[in-house]
Structures are given as C-alpha cells and as structure tokens.
Amino acid sequence: MAKDRAKVKQVHILAAPVKTFWLNFHLAYACQHSGACCTSGWPIPVEPDRVIPIRSLAARRDEEWLVPAVAAPADVAGTLALQANGHCVFHGDTGCGVYASRPASCSHFPYVCLIDRRGVHVTLSHFCPTAASLLFAPEAPIAIVEGPSPVAGFDVPEGLDARESLPPLRSPDRLMTWEAFSNWERAEVGKQPTAPSLADAAVLFEHARVAVPAPWAWAPAPADLERTWQMLVAPAWPRFAPVAQRYRAAKVVASWAAYTDEGLAAVLRVADAADAVLRVETIRQCMSAGRVLDADLLKQAIRHSDLLLVHYADPSVLSSGTKS
Ligand code: SF4
C-alpha cells in the first residue's frame, strides 16, 4: 500500500493570496441543486460552529436532525439525520432546507482539491450530474487555467494539503521541480486515454472494485464484456472520444496520488484505472438499457465510475496498482 506523504487538512487562513487552478471545462461549474449528494445516504458531518445557524434555520429540535457523533474528532458535532428513504433530513421538494448554513461537506461537494506549494488544484466528482454534463460541453483544447476559489469563504478549501511536501517523484529516485510538474500536467491533460484491451480493463476494474472497503461493496464486471462492447458500445464510442479524454484529464489534475511514494507513476495508474472503470460501467449501462451507447448512458456510466473511484474505493489501494 502506498504511503501518503501529505495529510488531509482544512485551512482557512493563508499568509499570502493563493492561486487556484482548474480544468477549463470545469470552470463553469455551479450547483444546479440536482440533489445527487443530498439523496446519496452518506453520513454528512456537521461542524460545531454550524449547529446554531442550522438550528435557527431548521426550526426543529436538535435530536430530529443531528445524530450525535461517537468518538468523533473535536471538529465534528455529529452527522445529519437521514429520512427513511436515505435522503438527508433537510432535503425536500424545494431542495435544501438549510442551504445558507449547510455543513462544509455539502458546500465542498463535488470539489476534489489538492493544495501544494503552487496553489489549489481543483477537479470534480462527476457523480454530480451537473459536473458530469460539463464533460460533454464543447471546449477545446483542454487546458489548465486559473480561477476563483471553489468554495465561497474558503481561501483554501478542504482537500489534501501537501504544502509541506517535496514535489512528486518522477521516478523512484528522482524528484521533479515544481515547474516541471506543472509542465507535465499541462502536457498530460491533452492526451487520449491509453485504450486498454477489454481483458486489461477488466483487471483494472477488478482492482478498483476490491479497493472498496467493507462493509461496502461494488458489483463485479458484467459477463461477456467483449461481445457487449462490440454490439452496443463500439459503434458509438469514437463519437464520445472527447468526453473520455476530458474524464481522463480530470483524473490527472488535483490527483492525490501525486503525493504518494510513487509520484507520477501513481497518477497515471489512477488515470488508467479510471478509463478502464468507465469502459466497464459503460458496458453495464448499455446492457441494462438494452441499447447502443448514447450520451445519457455515457453520463450515467461516468456518474457510476466516479461513485466508485472518488467516493467508495480506498485511494491508497487504488493508486497502488494491480501488482499485489
Ligand atoms: S444539508 Fe442541505 S445540501 Fe447538505 S445534504 Fe442536506 S439537503 Fe443536501
């Protein structure tokens, strides 16, 4: 298992202004209140300083919305209660009932951030359907651009804080320079996925699947991948090559794998795994729908891929590759 060389940490104050870097096709992201995060059944932590503002907006007794945390860190007062259907207690027909005071985890979704000495690097979880839609928007060529902080009120958002780390490893015994790392990212986001064989994709998918820690689990790959790919996916796949390329780029930037002991090799390994997972989940969607790939099916496949890769799989296992 790769060892992280940095720590996840929340920082609100910086001595100097910090630059924030985005992929150009992500920059237009704005919450459209799809409710994907609010209906996921996830335990949402509530910070102690959010209890009073939420209490005043919710107009409910605390025990109706706040589940006390047992043995939690000091910065967690509890988690949001869930309705019987698994939706957040505050999610309703008109969206979030406490939006202005929602917990930090809510305001940070779907951002995935990496903070290093160069600044804040932002990618998105495409489990959010609004984020997934951005992969389909015509925007070329892919570029890394400067933009605003993703979360209002946070100069530095929550994420992997690698500011005390050395630059990533280019090879087992050689560090990059910061400038070389930025140049490498700029070149890498423009590349097409490596297009593994379906046999190789199945191996990479299985590695991601078993990286999901118990008690959670992810469904195995469907049987007969090759036949379904040829019948339902291959005829339309070339049309969606730019979407797959943007999806890969979103795994190269802000990659926490850069700050593991395997550096760039781990980043590329995660990007390859993402491409493989996307192919398998696309087959699953086409099989389930019984029709040839279209944009709606690919968008669902992307959402499922990031549910596995971003929210369920252990990132240290994912970046460690399939050799073990
Ligand atoms: S507090 Fe609001 S934004 Fe957060 S999960 Fe609940 S409904 Fe969604």
Side-chain angles (χ1 to χ4, degrees):
M1 180 183 294
K3 296 177 202 157
D4 282 346
R5 297 192 296 136
K7 296 177 180 173
V8 177
K9 190 170 161 184
Q10 178 178 327
V11 180
H12 295 275
I13 300 171
L14 271 190
V18 65
K19 292 182 176 179
T20 302
F21 301 96
W22 298 69
L23 284 160
N24 52 348
F25 56 84
H26 277 163
L27 199 52
Y29 178 81
C31 177
Q32 300 298 316
H33 305 279
S34 70
C37 48
C38 311
T39 59
S40 62
W42 294 330
I44 308 285
V46 181
E47 300 76 21
D49 65 357
R50 300 287 171 121
V51 171
I52 290 175
I54 292 176
R55 182 186 293 151
S56 64
L57 276 179
R60 299 188 197 191
R61 291 179 296 136
D62 286 359
E63 53 268 35
E64 293 177 22
W65 64 269
L66 185 64
V67 179
V70 178
D75 58 355
V76 176
T79 58
L80 292 174
L82 299 176
Q83 304 176 47
N85 60 5
H87 297 183
C88 170
V89 68
F90 293 127
H91 181 70
D93 292 342
T94 56
C96 174
V98 294
Y99 193 76
S101 298
R102 66 200 188 285
S105 292
C106 303
S107 52
H108 278 77
F109 184 85
Y111 305 111
V112 178
C113 299
L114 166 70
I115 305 103
D116 63 20
R117 291 198 201 175
R118 301 170 302 161
V120 176
H121 309 267
V122 183
T123 188
L124 302 180
S125 164
H126 306 95
F127 173 61
C128 169
T130 307
S133 295
L134 295 174
L135 298 173
F136 292 78
E139 175 93 40
I142 296 171
I144 297 171
V145 297
E146 281 191 46
S149 173
V151 184
F154 286 75
D155 288 335
V156 176
E158 292 181 11
L160 184 74
D161 188 345
R163 282 175 293 175
E164 294 179 6
S165 294
L166 295 169
L169 288 162
R170 176 190 294 279
S171 57
D173 57 356
R174 195 169 161 209
L175 289 171
M176 307 194 87
T177 64
W178 293 113
E179 183 182 12
F181 183 30
S182 294
N183 290 339
W184 179 86
E185 285 177 319
R186 280 194 285 271
E188 201 63 37
V189 298
K191 294 182 180 175
Q192 291 285 348
T194 50
S197 69
L198 282 175
D200 288 344
V203 172
L204 291 170
F205 171 84
E206 182 62 13
H207 182 68
R209 190 181 80 81
V210 300
V212 176
W216 297 286
W218 197 263
D224 215 356
L225 289 175
E226 184 70 46
R227 183 164 164 272
T228 309
W229 177 271
Q230 293 304 335
M231 282 179 55
L232 301 179
V233 181
W237 190 255
R239 182 156 60 94
F240 296 112
V243 178
Q245 185 182 6
R246 291 183 196 113
Y247 185 65
R248 179 187 184 277
K251 301 304 175 193
V252 170
V253 301
S255 175
W256 293 14
Y259 290 96
T260 63
D261 287 350
E262 295 187 82
L264 299 191
V267 175
L268 293 177
R269 192 177 292 135
V270 172
D272 287 346
D275 181 51
V277 168
L278 177 59
R279 287 166 188 262
V280 171
E281 292 299 332
T282 299
I283 290 171
R284 197 195 306 278
Q285 289 293 324
C286 291
M287 284 179 80
S288 175
R291 67 177 195 264
V292 172
L293 179 66
D294 57 28
D296 285 343
L297 292 175
L298 183 56
K299 184 174 167 184
Q300 288 308 315
I302 289 167
R303 293 192 62 219
H304 281 265
S305 296
D306 266 8
L307 186 60
L308 168 58
L309 293 165
V310 180
H311 302 288
Y312 280 84
D314 180 333
S316 63
V317 177
L318 197 59
S319 64
S320 67
T322 58
K323 58 183 179 298
S324 56

